Amino acid sequence: MSVLDLKAKQDQISKNGKIILLIIVFAGSLLLIRLWYLQIIKGEYFNQLSKNNHIRVRRIRALRGIIYDRKQKILADNHPGFNLSIIPENISNIEMVSTELSKYLADLDQKDIINRFNITPAHLKYRPLKIRNNLSRDELALLETHKVDLPGMLIEVEPIRSYPFDRQCAHLIGYQGFINEQELEQPSYASYYPDDLVGRSGIEAQYEELLRGTDGKRQVEVNAVGRELHSRVSKPAIAGSNITLTIDIELQSYIHELMKDMVGSAVAINPHTGEILAMVSTPSFSNNLFATRISQEDWQKISRDPLHPLQNRAIQGQYPPGSTFKVIMAAAALEDNIVTPQTIFPCIGYYRLGNSKFRCWNKYGHGKVNLSRSLKESCDVYYYNLACKMPIDRIAHYCSLFGLGEKCGINLPQEKPGFIPTSSWKLKRFHDQWYRGETLS
């Protein structure tokens, strides 16, 4: 390589170095200008932004499991509803906020809001405090229009329970109610919030754990007055498990229609499998009233009704068995060799014991009746004869063998057992012996 070529190459390297240096200087200048702009010109803005913006974790409520009948017809479902909450930490004057809210929400209990606000622990003031469930379209429009006057207000879309066959299945499906303070202190309710609904009766209560699902989480950036700026899902919600019942809603509805003006209950059972096809209790009520916070007026109407519509008479009512008890008496008498299938008792329309007459439903009598005919025609006199031949404690023994006096074990809460009297029970309760006439009556 010649001296001239070497010098030319050195000049080129020097020229390239100057270009690179200019680029570095230019880029550095841009960076300094940007830093100056951010720190000097926009410094106060970003300082205020950092003070006012917070990252909060909000719940994503899980969809509650759907309840189906045996033919996959929906008995309990969810629909979206707009719920109003307030964020206590973003409110400095709760009296002013509650007064402002009362302008747009009818029948708002301001004292209740203020009380719940004041008792909220300091470490929980970032959590939304529920004010109203299932806002109407008019209420939603008013609140959105005046949200600048309502700091700390939060409107969220959350699932609300709905029951398409509310009165037909009210006792069977049950309803939900707000969790109370005592329950919140229990370990089994550790994942619940103060404004959560829990199953209170029926299938909703029995399978609360399965139906509830698992709530998700989303991270939310909010400003000083609680307005959401940005959000992202950090943990998706997991819907509750669906449940299919043995109930046939068409049969359930048919029986309810027949009984809607009566007081009583009816249960339809498949005799081959034991499956319950229908369970109706009347009078009934609408469990949709409990899907959100039930009004005081509706609650008073239901709870003070002398016919007790909340009672599921099929599993909570305690009634005499009537003529169905004749089957057990017949089996007991055969087992103890008191009668044979051919044993005959005359029925003249009544049975005399001392000075008392115990009448048959057929006042003309059934004539000579054997065991088979006594069951077929439900002759009362035949079983008066059996009752006089069997001690009450022996009858009670066979009742126990058939499961009477115990809960049947149905997978519904609040079932009550039956009651079987004995001679020892009467002696302890009334300090008197058992008389034969009491068995007949």
Side-chain angles (χ1 to χ4, degrees):
M1 180 180 293
S2 67
V3 175
L4 292 176
D5 292 337
L6 183 60
K7 185 177 181 181
K9 188 172 184 179
Q10 290 175 342
D11 292 342
Q12 184 63 41
I13 292 173
S14 177
K15 184 178 179 181
N16 291 341
K18 290 178 181 179
I19 293 173
I20 293 173
L21 180 61
L22 287 173
I23 292 173
I24 293 173
V25 171
F26 180 74
S29 299
L30 288 178
L31 181 59
L32 288 172
I33 292 171
R34 181 63 178 169
L35 289 173
W36 175 79
Y37 173 79
L38 293 176
Q39 293 186 14
I40 305 301
I41 303 301
K42 302 290 289 184
E44 183 61 29
Y45 168 78
F46 285 112
N47 181 52
Q48 187 64 32
L49 192 65
S50 66
K51 290 180 179 179
N52 293 344
N53 291 355
H54 306 274
I55 298 297
R56 289 288 178 255
V57 176
R58 298 271 190 262
R59 273 200 306 170
I60 303 174
R61 290 185 184 264
L63 288 173
R64 198 167 176 84
I66 300 173
I67 302 175
Y68 298 96
D69 85 332
R70 65 188 303 114
K71 298 177 182 177
Q72 295 301 294
K73 292 185 177 179
I74 294 176
L75 306 181
D77 200 359
N78 309 286
H79 72 269
F82 293 91
N83 297 335
L84 170 66
S85 301
I86 57 175
I87 312 297
E89 71 172 358
N90 298 127
I91 296 176
S92 58
N93 189 335
I94 184 60
E95 288 78 9
M96 181 274 290
V97 172
S98 62
T99 301
E100 196 68 24
L101 283 172
S102 66
K103 297 178 182 178
Y104 316 120
L105 300 175
D107 304 321
L108 187 68
D109 190 341
Q110 291 181 247
K111 291 183 178 179
D112 177 65
I113 294 173
I114 295 171
N115 179 61
R116 289 166 59 202
F117 177 90
N118 290 333
I119 65 174
T120 302
H123 67 284
L124 296 180
K125 287 190 178 295
Y126 70 91
R127 286 185 176 180
L129 188 65
K130 190 71 64 64
I131 300 300
R132 178 70 61 88
N133 288 304
N134 204 21
L135 295 169
S136 68
R137 292 181 180 273
D138 291 340
E139 290 172 333
L140 182 62
L142 280 171
L143 291 171
E144 286 291 348
T145 302
H146 297 88
K147 64 182 179 182
V148 293
D149 302 321
L150 298 167
M153 183 185 75
L154 176 66
I155 295 177
E156 294 182 298
V157 180
E158 296 180 349
I160 295 177
R161 208 61 162 157
S162 63
Y163 305 100
F165 300 95
D166 54 343
R167 292 188 176 275
Q168 297 94 320
C169 298
H171 301 93
L172 181 67
I173 300 300
Y175 59 88
Q176 293 179 282
F178 283 91
I179 194 168
N180 57 48
E181 293 181 5
Q182 292 74 25
E183 289 169 326
L184 284 170
E185 294 174 357
Q186 300 175 19
S188 56
Y189 291 101
S191 61
Y192 286 72
Y193 285 64
D195 60 351
D196 276 348
L197 291 163
V198 296
R200 290 297 183 204
S201 70
I203 295 295
E204 292 281 24
Q206 183 70 19
Y207 293 104
E208 167 68 19
E209 188 175 347
L210 278 176
L211 289 167
R212 184 171 184 256
T214 304
D215 290 339
K217 295 179 181 179
R218 62 188 179 99
Q219 291 183 334
V220 179
E221 183 183 358
V222 297
N223 60 19
V225 292
R227 300 282 182 264
E228 293 190 6
L229 304 177
H230 307 284
S231 71
R232 72 177 186 86
V233 175
S234 58
K235 177 185 175 184
I238 301 174
S241 299
N242 298 334
I243 293 178
T244 300
L245 307 181
T246 60
I247 295 297
D248 184 331
I249 190 56
E250 292 181 4
L251 179 60
Q252 179 87 7
S253 300
Y254 175 74
I255 296 175
H256 178 268
E257 182 65 23
L258 294 177
M259 296 183 60
K260 65 180 181 181
D261 297 323
M262 305 178 186
V263 176
S265 65
V267 180
I269 303 175
N270 184 328
H272 301 291
T273 63
E275 293 177 330
I276 295 179
L277 305 178
M279 178 184 286
V280 174
S281 179
T282 53
S284 187
F285 63 97
S286 173
N287 47 4
N288 279 320
L289 294 173
F290 295 85
T292 56
R293 193 179 294 273
I294 187 172
S295 69
Q296 191 68 19
E297 181 183 355
D298 286 332
W299 173 247
Q300 294 292 345
K301 183 178 179 181
I302 293 174
S303 61
R304 293 181 179 179
D305 190 324
L307 297 180
H308 307 292
L310 290 175
Q311 182 186 29
N312 184 354
R313 288 174 164 79
I315 61 172
Q316 296 173 327
Q318 296 171 308
Y319 309 105
S323 289
T324 59
F325 192 67
K326 290 172 181 174
V327 176
I328 295 177
M329 284 294 294
L334 287 171
E335 186 68 20
D336 279 2
N337 296 315
I338 292 174
V339 296
T340 68
Q342 290 75 38
T343 300
I344 292 176
F345 292 112
C347 173
I348 58 174
Y350 63 86
Y351 179 86
R352 183 180 293 278
L353 180 65
N355 295 324
S356 300
K357 285 184 177 180
F358 294 86
R359 299 191 178 278
C360 183
W361 68 267
N362 184 347
K363 64 180 180 179
Y364 302 107
H366 292 94
K368 294 181 178 180
V369 183
N370 62 17
L371 184 61
S372 175
R373 188 176 169 216
S374 75
L375 290 170
K376 180 179 179 180
E377 300 185 18
S378 192
C379 176
D380 297 328
V381 169
Y382 194 96
Y383 292 93
Y384 294 149
N385 281 277
L386 294 188
C388 285
K389 296 178 182 298
M390 295 184 68
I392 183 60
D393 291 337
R394 195 63 184 162
I395 296 174
H397 167 72
Y398 281 104
C399 287
S400 298
L401 293 180
F402 275 94
L404 274 66
E406 301 175 2
K407 293 182 179 180
C408 69
I410 189 172
N411 49 346
L412 286 174
Q414 302 166 345
E415 180 190 2
K416 292 183 179 179
F419 173 71
I420 302 172
T422 61
S423 59
S424 59
W425 166 82
K426 187 185 177 186
L427 185 62
K428 181 179 180 180
R429 178 74 182 272
F430 298 103
H431 308 290
D432 196 5
Q433 65 177 336
W434 187 276
Y435 296 99
R436 188 182 299 175
E438 293 172 322
T439 306
L440 271 65
S441 61

PDB file of all heavy atoms in Angstrom, residues 176-205:
ATOM      1  N   GLN A 176     -81.092 -16.531  47.970  1.00  0.00           N
ATOM      2  CA  GLN A 176     -79.853 -16.054  48.576  1.00  0.00           C
ATOM      3  C   GLN A 176     -80.143 -14.879  49.506  1.00  0.00           C
ATOM      4  O   GLN A 176     -81.142 -14.172  49.347  1.00  0.00           O
ATOM      5  CB  GLN A 176     -78.871 -15.600  47.501  1.00  0.00           C
ATOM      6  CG  GLN A 176     -78.339 -16.705  46.615  1.00  0.00           C
ATOM      7  CD  GLN A 176     -77.394 -16.149  45.572  1.00  0.00           C
ATOM      8  OE1 GLN A 176     -77.811 -15.574  44.574  1.00  0.00           O
ATOM      9  NE2 GLN A 176     -76.106 -16.301  45.814  1.00  0.00           N
ATOM     10  N   GLY A 177     -79.260 -14.678  50.458  1.00  0.00           N
ATOM     11  CA  GLY A 177     -79.344 -13.536  51.362  1.00  0.00           C
ATOM     12  C   GLY A 177     -77.951 -13.000  51.630  1.00  0.00           C
ATOM     13  O   GLY A 177     -76.954 -13.697  51.419  1.00  0.00           O
ATOM     14  N   PHE A 178     -77.874 -11.764  52.108  1.00  0.00           N
ATOM     15  CA  PHE A 178     -76.569 -11.168  52.371  1.00  0.00           C
ATOM     16  C   PHE A 178     -75.898 -11.839  53.574  1.00  0.00           C
ATOM     17  O   PHE A 178     -76.551 -12.171  54.561  1.00  0.00           O
ATOM     18  CB  PHE A 178     -76.708  -9.664  52.608  1.00  0.00           C
ATOM     19  CG  PHE A 178     -76.909  -8.889  51.346  1.00  0.00           C
ATOM     20  CD1 PHE A 178     -78.186  -8.628  50.869  1.00  0.00           C
ATOM     21  CD2 PHE A 178     -75.830  -8.442  50.604  1.00  0.00           C
ATOM     22  CE1 PHE A 178     -78.382  -7.929  49.696  1.00  0.00           C
ATOM     23  CE2 PHE A 178     -76.008  -7.743  49.429  1.00  0.00           C
ATOM     24  CZ  PHE A 178     -77.287  -7.482  48.969  1.00  0.00           C
ATOM     25  N   ILE A 179     -74.611 -12.027  53.459  1.00  0.00           N
ATOM     26  CA  ILE A 179     -73.836 -12.637  54.530  1.00  0.00           C
ATOM     27  C   ILE A 179     -73.834 -11.698  55.747  1.00  0.00           C
ATOM     28  O   ILE A 179     -73.874 -10.479  55.605  1.00  0.00           O
ATOM     29  CB  ILE A 179     -72.399 -12.920  54.048  1.00  0.00           C
ATOM     30  CG1 ILE A 179     -71.679 -13.860  55.005  1.00  0.00           C
ATOM     31  CG2 ILE A 179     -71.619 -11.632  53.824  1.00  0.00           C
ATOM     32  CD1 ILE A 179     -70.379 -14.410  54.454  1.00  0.00           C
ATOM     33  N   ASN A 180     -73.825 -12.287  56.952  1.00  0.00           N
ATOM     34  CA  ASN A 180     -73.840 -11.452  58.152  1.00  0.00           C
ATOM     35  C   ASN A 180     -72.468 -11.429  58.827  1.00  0.00           C
ATOM     36  O   ASN A 180     -71.552 -12.153  58.429  1.00  0.00           O
ATOM     37  CB  ASN A 180     -74.917 -11.930  59.135  1.00  0.00           C
ATOM     38  CG  ASN A 180     -74.746 -13.393  59.531  1.00  0.00           C
ATOM     39  OD1 ASN A 180     -73.644 -13.826  59.883  1.00  0.00           O
ATOM     40  ND2 ASN A 180     -75.828 -14.156  59.498  1.00  0.00           N
ATOM     41  N   GLU A 181     -72.339 -10.602  59.851  1.00  0.00           N
ATOM     42  CA  GLU A 181     -71.049 -10.407  60.506  1.00  0.00           C
ATOM     43  C   GLU A 181     -70.548 -11.681  61.182  1.00  0.00           C
ATOM     44  O   GLU A 181     -69.349 -11.961  61.190  1.00  0.00           O
ATOM     45  CB  GLU A 181     -71.166  -9.279  61.538  1.00  0.00           C
ATOM     46  CG  GLU A 181     -71.421  -7.903  60.923  1.00  0.00           C
ATOM     47  CD  GLU A 181     -71.512  -6.811  61.977  1.00  0.00           C
ATOM     48  OE1 GLU A 181     -71.280  -7.120  63.164  1.00  0.00           O
ATOM     49  OE2 GLU A 181     -71.817  -5.663  61.617  1.00  0.00           O
ATOM     50  N   GLN A 182     -71.469 -12.441  61.777  1.00  0.00           N
ATOM     51  CA  GLN A 182     -71.060 -13.679  62.442  1.00  0.00           C
ATOM     52  C   GLN A 182     -70.474 -14.678  61.455  1.00  0.00           C
ATOM     53  O   GLN A 182     -69.472 -15.348  61.749  1.00  0.00           O
ATOM     54  CB  GLN A 182     -72.258 -14.312  63.178  1.00  0.00           C
ATOM     55  CG  GLN A 182     -72.759 -13.533  64.383  1.00  0.00           C
ATOM     56  CD  GLN A 182     -73.535 -12.286  64.014  1.00  0.00           C
ATOM     57  OE1 GLN A 182     -74.105 -12.208  62.911  1.00  0.00           O
ATOM     58  NE2 GLN A 182     -73.561 -11.300  64.899  1.00  0.00           N
ATOM     59  N   GLU A 183     -71.080 -14.778  60.285  1.00  0.00           N
ATOM     60  CA  GLU A 183     -70.573 -15.705  59.265  1.00  0.00           C
ATOM     61  C   GLU A 183     -69.208 -15.261  58.745  1.00  0.00           C
ATOM     62  O   GLU A 183     -68.338 -16.101  58.474  1.00  0.00           O
ATOM     63  CB  GLU A 183     -71.579 -15.803  58.121  1.00  0.00           C
ATOM     64  CG  GLU A 183     -72.852 -16.556  58.496  1.00  0.00           C
ATOM     65  CD  GLU A 183     -73.939 -16.424  57.450  1.00  0.00           C
ATOM     66  OE1 GLU A 183     -74.028 -15.346  56.815  1.00  0.00           O
ATOM     67  OE2 GLU A 183     -74.723 -17.374  57.291  1.00  0.00           O
ATOM     68  N   LEU A 184     -69.030 -13.962  58.597  1.00  0.00           N
ATOM     69  CA  LEU A 184     -67.754 -13.457  58.080  1.00  0.00           C
ATOM     70  C   LEU A 184     -66.586 -13.800  58.999  1.00  0.00           C
ATOM     71  O   LEU A 184     -65.438 -13.871  58.555  1.00  0.00           O
ATOM     72  CB  LEU A 184     -67.832 -11.944  57.885  1.00  0.00           C
ATOM     73  CG  LEU A 184     -68.615 -11.457  56.664  1.00  0.00           C
ATOM     74  CD1 LEU A 184     -68.821  -9.956  56.726  1.00  0.00           C
ATOM     75  CD2 LEU A 184     -67.910 -11.848  55.375  1.00  0.00           C
ATOM     76  N   GLU A 185     -66.863 -14.018  60.275  1.00  0.00           N
ATOM     77  CA  GLU A 185     -65.807 -14.357  61.222  1.00  0.00           C
ATOM     78  C   GLU A 185     -65.427 -15.834  61.181  1.00  0.00           C
ATOM     79  O   GLU A 185     -64.425 -16.241  61.768  1.00  0.00           O
ATOM     80  CB  GLU A 185     -66.260 -13.992  62.636  1.00  0.00           C
ATOM     81  CG  GLU A 185     -66.437 -12.483  62.848  1.00  0.00           C
ATOM     82  CD  GLU A 185     -67.011 -12.160  64.208  1.00  0.00           C
ATOM     83  OE1 GLU A 185     -67.318 -13.118  64.956  1.00  0.00           O
ATOM     84  OE2 GLU A 185     -67.162 -10.962  64.524  1.00  0.00           O
ATOM     85  N   GLN A 186     -66.235 -16.645  60.487  1.00  0.00           N
ATOM     86  CA  GLN A 186     -65.970 -18.080  60.413  1.00  0.00           C
ATOM     87  C   GLN A 186     -64.954 -18.377  59.312  1.00  0.00           C
ATOM     88  O   GLN A 186     -64.984 -17.755  58.246  1.00  0.00           O
ATOM     89  CB  GLN A 186     -67.267 -18.843  60.144  1.00  0.00           C
ATOM     90  CG  GLN A 186     -68.329 -18.660  61.209  1.00  0.00           C
ATOM     91  CD  GLN A 186     -69.640 -19.329  60.838  1.00  0.00           C
ATOM     92  OE1 GLN A 186     -69.696 -20.204  59.976  1.00  0.00           O
ATOM     93  NE2 GLN A 186     -70.716 -18.918  61.493  1.00  0.00           N
ATOM     94  N   PRO A 187     -64.054 -19.346  59.551  1.00  0.00           N
ATOM     95  CA  PRO A 187     -63.029 -19.693  58.546  1.00  0.00           C
ATOM     96  C   PRO A 187     -63.619 -20.130  57.208  1.00  0.00           C
ATOM     97  O   PRO A 187     -63.027 -19.879  56.158  1.00  0.00           O
ATOM     98  CB  PRO A 187     -62.264 -20.838  59.214  1.00  0.00           C
ATOM     99  CG  PRO A 187     -62.497 -20.664  60.676  1.00  0.00           C
ATOM    100  CD  PRO A 187     -63.879 -20.102  60.811  1.00  0.00           C
ATOM    101  N   SER A 188     -64.780 -20.771  57.244  1.00  0.00           N
ATOM    102  CA  SER A 188     -65.385 -21.266  55.993  1.00  0.00           C
ATOM    103  C   SER A 188     -65.841 -20.129  55.082  1.00  0.00           C
ATOM    104  O   SER A 188     -66.095 -20.341  53.897  1.00  0.00           O
ATOM    105  CB  SER A 188     -66.573 -22.181  56.309  1.00  0.00           C
ATOM    106  OG  SER A 188     -67.519 -21.512  57.119  1.00  0.00           O
ATOM    107  N   TYR A 189     -65.946 -18.910  55.634  1.00  0.00           N
ATOM    108  CA  TYR A 189     -66.360 -17.759  54.822  1.00  0.00           C
ATOM    109  C   TYR A 189     -65.220 -16.761  54.645  1.00  0.00           C
ATOM    110  O   TYR A 189     -65.460 -15.566  54.411  1.00  0.00           O
ATOM    111  CB  TYR A 189     -67.560 -17.057  55.472  1.00  0.00           C
ATOM    112  CG  TYR A 189     -68.834 -17.864  55.441  1.00  0.00           C
ATOM    113  CD1 TYR A 189     -69.266 -18.559  56.570  1.00  0.00           C
ATOM    114  CD2 TYR A 189     -69.608 -17.941  54.289  1.00  0.00           C
ATOM    115  CE1 TYR A 189     -70.433 -19.304  56.555  1.00  0.00           C
ATOM    116  CE2 TYR A 189     -70.773 -18.678  54.253  1.00  0.00           C
ATOM    117  CZ  TYR A 189     -71.181 -19.354  55.395  1.00  0.00           C
ATOM    118  OH  TYR A 189     -72.339 -20.088  55.365  1.00  0.00           O
ATOM    119  N   ALA A 190     -63.987 -17.239  54.742  1.00  0.00           N
ATOM    120  CA  ALA A 190     -62.821 -16.347  54.683  1.00  0.00           C
ATOM    121  C   ALA A 190     -62.720 -15.597  53.354  1.00  0.00           C
ATOM    122  O   ALA A 190     -62.203 -14.476  53.301  1.00  0.00           O
ATOM    123  CB  ALA A 190     -61.545 -17.146  54.927  1.00  0.00           C
ATOM    124  N   SER A 191     -63.204 -16.196  52.271  1.00  0.00           N
ATOM    125  CA  SER A 191     -63.079 -15.562  50.950  1.00  0.00           C
ATOM    126  C   SER A 191     -64.261 -14.673  50.599  1.00  0.00           C
ATOM    127  O   SER A 191     -64.335 -14.136  49.496  1.00  0.00           O
ATOM    128  CB  SER A 191     -62.932 -16.647  49.873  1.00  0.00           C
ATOM    129  OG  SER A 191     -64.077 -17.486  49.839  1.00  0.00           O
ATOM    130  N   TYR A 192     -65.193 -14.505  51.538  1.00  0.00           N
ATOM    131  CA  TYR A 192     -66.387 -13.703  51.273  1.00  0.00           C
ATOM    132  C   TYR A 192     -66.173 -12.243  51.688  1.00  0.00           C
ATOM    133  O   TYR A 192     -65.369 -11.949  52.568  1.00  0.00           O
ATOM    134  CB  TYR A 192     -67.599 -14.263  52.020  1.00  0.00           C
ATOM    135  CG  TYR A 192     -68.155 -15.539  51.442  1.00  0.00           C
ATOM    136  CD1 TYR A 192     -67.467 -16.745  51.571  1.00  0.00           C
ATOM    137  CD2 TYR A 192     -69.372 -15.563  50.782  1.00  0.00           C
ATOM    138  CE1 TYR A 192     -67.973 -17.926  51.050  1.00  0.00           C
ATOM    139  CE2 TYR A 192     -69.902 -16.735  50.264  1.00  0.00           C
ATOM    140  CZ  TYR A 192     -69.191 -17.912  50.397  1.00  0.00           C
ATOM    141  OH  TYR A 192     -69.694 -19.077  49.882  1.00  0.00           O
ATOM    142  N   TYR A 193     -66.946 -11.354  51.054  1.00  0.00           N
ATOM    143  CA  TYR A 193     -66.923  -9.931  51.371  1.00  0.00           C
ATOM    144  C   TYR A 193     -68.229  -9.558  52.077  1.00  0.00           C
ATOM    145  O   TYR A 193     -69.238 -10.274  51.958  1.00  0.00           O
ATOM    146  CB  TYR A 193     -66.780  -9.098  50.099  1.00  0.00           C
ATOM    147  CG  TYR A 193     -65.398  -9.109  49.496  1.00  0.00           C
ATOM    148  CD1 TYR A 193     -64.828 -10.276  48.995  1.00  0.00           C
ATOM    149  CD2 TYR A 193     -64.649  -7.947  49.422  1.00  0.00           C
ATOM    150  CE1 TYR A 193     -63.562 -10.290  48.442  1.00  0.00           C
ATOM    151  CE2 TYR A 193     -63.369  -7.932  48.862  1.00  0.00           C
ATOM    152  CZ  TYR A 193     -62.842  -9.114  48.378  1.00  0.00           C
ATOM    153  OH  TYR A 193     -61.578  -9.123  47.830  1.00  0.00           O
ATOM    154  N   PRO A 194     -68.240  -8.420  52.795  1.00  0.00           N
ATOM    155  CA  PRO A 194     -69.445  -8.038  53.546  1.00  0.00           C
ATOM    156  C   PRO A 194     -70.711  -7.885  52.712  1.00  0.00           C
ATOM    157  O   PRO A 194     -71.801  -8.001  53.245  1.00  0.00           O
ATOM    158  CB  PRO A 194     -69.039  -6.689  54.185  1.00  0.00           C
ATOM    159  CG  PRO A 194     -67.558  -6.776  54.309  1.00  0.00           C
ATOM    160  CD  PRO A 194     -67.101  -7.537  53.088  1.00  0.00           C
ATOM    161  N   ASP A 195     -70.590  -7.600  51.424  1.00  0.00           N
ATOM    162  CA  ASP A 195     -71.784  -7.405  50.599  1.00  0.00           C
ATOM    163  C   ASP A 195     -72.098  -8.623  49.729  1.00  0.00           C
ATOM    164  O   ASP A 195     -72.865  -8.537  48.777  1.00  0.00           O
ATOM    165  CB  ASP A 195     -71.628  -6.158  49.720  1.00  0.00           C
ATOM    166  CG  ASP A 195     -70.424  -6.265  48.782  1.00  0.00           C
ATOM    167  OD1 ASP A 195     -69.641  -7.213  48.942  1.00  0.00           O
ATOM    168  OD2 ASP A 195     -70.278  -5.397  47.896  1.00  0.00           O
ATOM    169  N   ASP A 196     -71.516  -9.781  50.061  1.00  0.00           N
ATOM    170  CA  ASP A 196     -71.756 -10.991  49.280  1.00  0.00           C
ATOM    171  C   ASP A 196     -73.089 -11.636  49.635  1.00  0.00           C
ATOM    172  O   ASP A 196     -73.574 -11.539  50.768  1.00  0.00           O
ATOM    173  CB  ASP A 196     -70.637 -12.012  49.507  1.00  0.00           C
ATOM    174  CG  ASP A 196     -69.428 -11.753  48.620  1.00  0.00           C
ATOM    175  OD1 ASP A 196     -69.554 -10.946  47.690  1.00  0.00           O
ATOM    176  OD2 ASP A 196     -68.370 -12.351  48.873  1.00  0.00           O
ATOM    177  N   LEU A 197     -73.662 -12.318  48.652  1.00  0.00           N
ATOM    178  CA  LEU A 197     -74.873 -13.113  48.857  1.00  0.00           C
ATOM    179  C   LEU A 197     -74.475 -14.574  49.024  1.00  0.00           C
ATOM    180  O   LEU A 197     -73.577 -15.059  48.349  1.00  0.00           O
ATOM    181  CB  LEU A 197     -75.819 -12.969  47.665  1.00  0.00           C
ATOM    182  CG  LEU A 197     -76.494 -11.601  47.483  1.00  0.00           C
ATOM    183  CD1 LEU A 197     -77.048 -11.472  46.077  1.00  0.00           C
ATOM    184  CD2 LEU A 197     -77.609 -11.433  48.504  1.00  0.00           C
ATOM    185  N   VAL A 198     -75.180 -15.255  49.917  1.00  0.00           N
ATOM    186  CA  VAL A 198     -74.954 -16.689  50.130  1.00  0.00           C
ATOM    187  C   VAL A 198     -76.293 -17.410  50.087  1.00  0.00           C
ATOM    188  O   VAL A 198     -77.340 -16.814  50.353  1.00  0.00           O
ATOM    189  CB  VAL A 198     -74.251 -16.968  51.478  1.00  0.00           C
ATOM    190  CG1 VAL A 198     -72.867 -16.361  51.502  1.00  0.00           C
ATOM    191  CG2 VAL A 198     -75.077 -16.445  52.645  1.00  0.00           C
ATOM    192  N   GLY A 199     -76.274 -18.682  49.754  1.00  0.00           N
ATOM    193  CA  GLY A 199     -77.501 -19.465  49.729  1.00  0.00           C
ATOM    194  C   GLY A 199     -78.109 -19.558  51.120  1.00  0.00           C
ATOM    195  O   GLY A 199     -77.418 -19.886  52.088  1.00  0.00           O
ATOM    196  N   ARG A 200     -79.404 -19.285  51.213  1.00  0.00           N
ATOM    197  CA  ARG A 200     -80.086 -19.316  52.504  1.00  0.00           C
ATOM    198  C   ARG A 200     -81.068 -20.467  52.649  1.00  0.00           C
ATOM    199  O   ARG A 200     -81.418 -20.849  53.769  1.00  0.00           O
ATOM    200  CB  ARG A 200     -80.836 -17.996  52.731  1.00  0.00           C
ATOM    201  CG  ARG A 200     -79.942 -16.801  52.978  1.00  0.00           C
ATOM    202  CD  ARG A 200     -79.156 -16.988  54.248  1.00  0.00           C
ATOM    203  NE  ARG A 200     -78.328 -15.829  54.573  1.00  0.00           N
ATOM    204  CZ  ARG A 200     -77.254 -15.886  55.317  1.00  0.00           C
ATOM    205  NH1 ARG A 200     -76.857 -17.049  55.812  1.00  0.00           N
ATOM    206  NH2 ARG A 200     -76.552 -14.815  55.587  1.00  0.00           N
ATOM    207  N   SER A 201     -81.519 -21.013  51.552  1.00  0.00           N
ATOM    208  CA  SER A 201     -82.467 -22.126  51.627  1.00  0.00           C
ATOM    209  C   SER A 201     -82.386 -22.934  50.341  1.00  0.00           C
ATOM    210  O   SER A 201     -81.794 -22.510  49.350  1.00  0.00           O
ATOM    211  CB  SER A 201     -83.900 -21.614  51.847  1.00  0.00           C
ATOM    212  OG  SER A 201     -84.373 -20.952  50.680  1.00  0.00           O
ATOM    213  N   GLY A 202     -82.998 -24.112  50.373  1.00  0.00           N
ATOM    214  CA  GLY A 202     -83.082 -24.942  49.181  1.00  0.00           C
ATOM    215  C   GLY A 202     -81.737 -25.344  48.598  1.00  0.00           C
ATOM    216  O   GLY A 202     -80.721 -25.419  49.296  1.00  0.00           O
ATOM    217  N   ILE A 203     -81.746 -25.613  47.301  1.00  0.00           N
ATOM    218  CA  ILE A 203     -80.538 -26.024  46.585  1.00  0.00           C
ATOM    219  C   ILE A 203     -79.469 -24.931  46.666  1.00  0.00           C
ATOM    220  O   ILE A 203     -78.277 -25.229  46.749  1.00  0.00           O
ATOM    221  CB  ILE A 203     -80.872 -26.329  45.111  1.00  0.00           C
ATOM    222  CG1 ILE A 203     -81.822 -27.545  45.017  1.00  0.00           C
ATOM    223  CG2 ILE A 203     -79.607 -26.611  44.312  1.00  0.00           C
ATOM    224  CD1 ILE A 203     -81.221 -28.848  45.498  1.00  0.00           C
ATOM    225  N   GLU A 204     -79.885 -23.679  46.658  1.00  0.00           N
ATOM    226  CA  GLU A 204     -78.922 -22.579  46.731  1.00  0.00           C
ATOM    227  C   GLU A 204     -78.080 -22.662  48.005  1.00  0.00           C
ATOM    228  O   GLU A 204     -76.883 -22.351  47.987  1.00  0.00           O
ATOM    229  CB  GLU A 204     -79.646 -21.227  46.680  1.00  0.00           C
ATOM    230  CG  GLU A 204     -80.316 -20.901  45.355  1.00  0.00           C
ATOM    231  CD  GLU A 204     -79.322 -20.403  44.306  1.00  0.00           C
ATOM    232  OE1 GLU A 204     -78.122 -20.718  44.393  1.00  0.00           O
ATOM    233  OE2 GLU A 204     -79.774 -19.701  43.364  1.00  0.00           O
ATOM    234  N   ALA A 205     -78.674 -23.079  49.098  1.00  0.00           N
ATOM    235  CA  ALA A 205     -77.926 -23.206  50.356  1.00  0.00           C
ATOM    236  C   ALA A 205     -77.169 -24.525  50.426  1.00  0.00           C
ATOM    237  O   ALA A 205     -76.001 -24.564  50.833  1.00  0.00           O
ATOM    238  CB  ALA A 205     -78.880 -23.090  51.548  1.00  0.00           C
TER     239      ALA A 205
END
